[in-house]
Amino acid sequence: MSTTVVASPRLIRAINTAAWAHRGHVRKGTDIPYVSHVFGVMHLVSQVTDDEDVLIAALFHDILEDVPETYSVERMADEFGARVVELVRGVTKNSALSSWQERSDAYLAHLRRADEGSVLVSAADKLHNLLSIHADLDEIGDELWERFNSGKERQLWWYRSVAEVVQERLPGNALGQELSRQVERLESRSA
């Protein structure tokens, strides 16, 4: 399902807020401005929904995890509402947990019961990451995996696990289906 999204003043404010919050940040191991990722995630989400809160959550999906000191949960709630905060929290790893595996397991457990909008954002986030991984593999090969603290095998597990939860929660959803295809493509490239 493709939708047409009209950029309301609220959505424009959210785009500007995301650009401001992530100013100066770049994608891991590159010089690509990080904001390209959040815009890409919002674009992917916009292909399956016109729910403005979900589109804004797509723009903000990394703020609470990466830059909470720049743009606080309280400010997000004041400026964009409690539902946006709930959707963003639905895709935010718990930084209080000590290991990558614990944070990943907790994320998956939460995603299994999160709002469907959070599941859409997660699917789009992981899909955009995978598309970037494929492009980087084409360009630099297996050197790419050195960017990740968790390594290649754990990254494969992570993307497969998220794709499985998305398929459970949103069977037949176009984002989930494409996410699964891209996971399978990565697995076949890594075999």
Side-chain angles (χ1 to χ4, degrees):
M1 166 176 104
S2 183
T3 63
T4 302
V5 176
V6 176
S8 71
R10 181 174 179 249
L11 186 58
I12 295 296
R13 254 187 321 115
I15 290 168
N16 291 336
T17 298
W20 170 81
H22 290 290
R23 70 193 178 284
H25 300 143
V26 294
R27 295 282 280 166
K28 189 179 287 190
T30 75
D31 58 0
I32 298 169
Y34 192 81
V35 74
S36 68
H37 171 64
V38 297
F39 292 161
V41 171
M42 186 196 74
H43 171 73
L44 291 168
V45 168
S46 76
Q47 302 304 297
V48 297
T49 186
D50 59 0
D51 183 327
E52 191 170 84
D53 285 344
V54 178
L55 297 173
I56 293 169
L59 289 165
F60 291 176
H61 76 273
D62 280 333
I63 285 178
L64 299 181
E65 194 171 319
D66 294 346
V67 290
E69 68 287 345
T70 300
Y71 193 72
S72 69
V73 68
E74 295 82 13
R75 186 168 173 192
M76 187 184 296
D78 286 346
E79 293 180 1
F80 294 97
R83 181 162 182 251
V84 168
V85 170
E86 175 191 348
L87 292 167
V88 172
R89 281 187 168 150
V91 295
T92 301
K93 284 186 176 175
N94 183 345
S95 61
L97 298 173
S98 59
S99 74
W100 179 90
Q101 191 66 53
E102 287 177 314
R103 289 187 297 277
S104 299
D105 289 340
Y107 179 100
L108 293 168
H110 183 77
L111 194 61
R112 284 187 173 90
R113 62 184 187 282
D115 184 289
E116 285 187 3
S118 293
V119 180
L120 286 175
V121 171
S122 181
D125 174 32
K126 303 312 176 259
L127 176 56
H128 190 266
N129 286 342
L130 280 171
L131 295 171
S132 297
I133 286 171
H134 285 301
D136 288 345
L137 280 170
D138 291 342
E139 187 174 321
I140 63 172
D142 280 345
E143 180 182 316
L144 160 80
W145 300 113
E146 295 171 15
R147 294 179 185 166
F148 299 96
N149 296 331
S150 57
K152 178 174 151 182
E153 292 307 316
R154 292 174 97 191
Q155 287 297 311
L156 290 169
W157 169 84
W158 170 242
Y159 285 105
R160 168 58 60 203
S161 297
V162 173
E164 288 171 355
V165 173
V166 171
Q167 288 296 335
E168 290 168 16
R169 292 293 314 281
L170 303 173
N173 179 274
L175 278 179
Q177 291 173 337
E178 186 59 24
L179 175 60
S180 291
R181 276 193 290 280
Q182 294 302 325
V183 168
E184 289 166 10
R185 179 177 171 216
L186 185 62
E187 289 171 337
S188 70
R189 291 182 81 163
S190 300

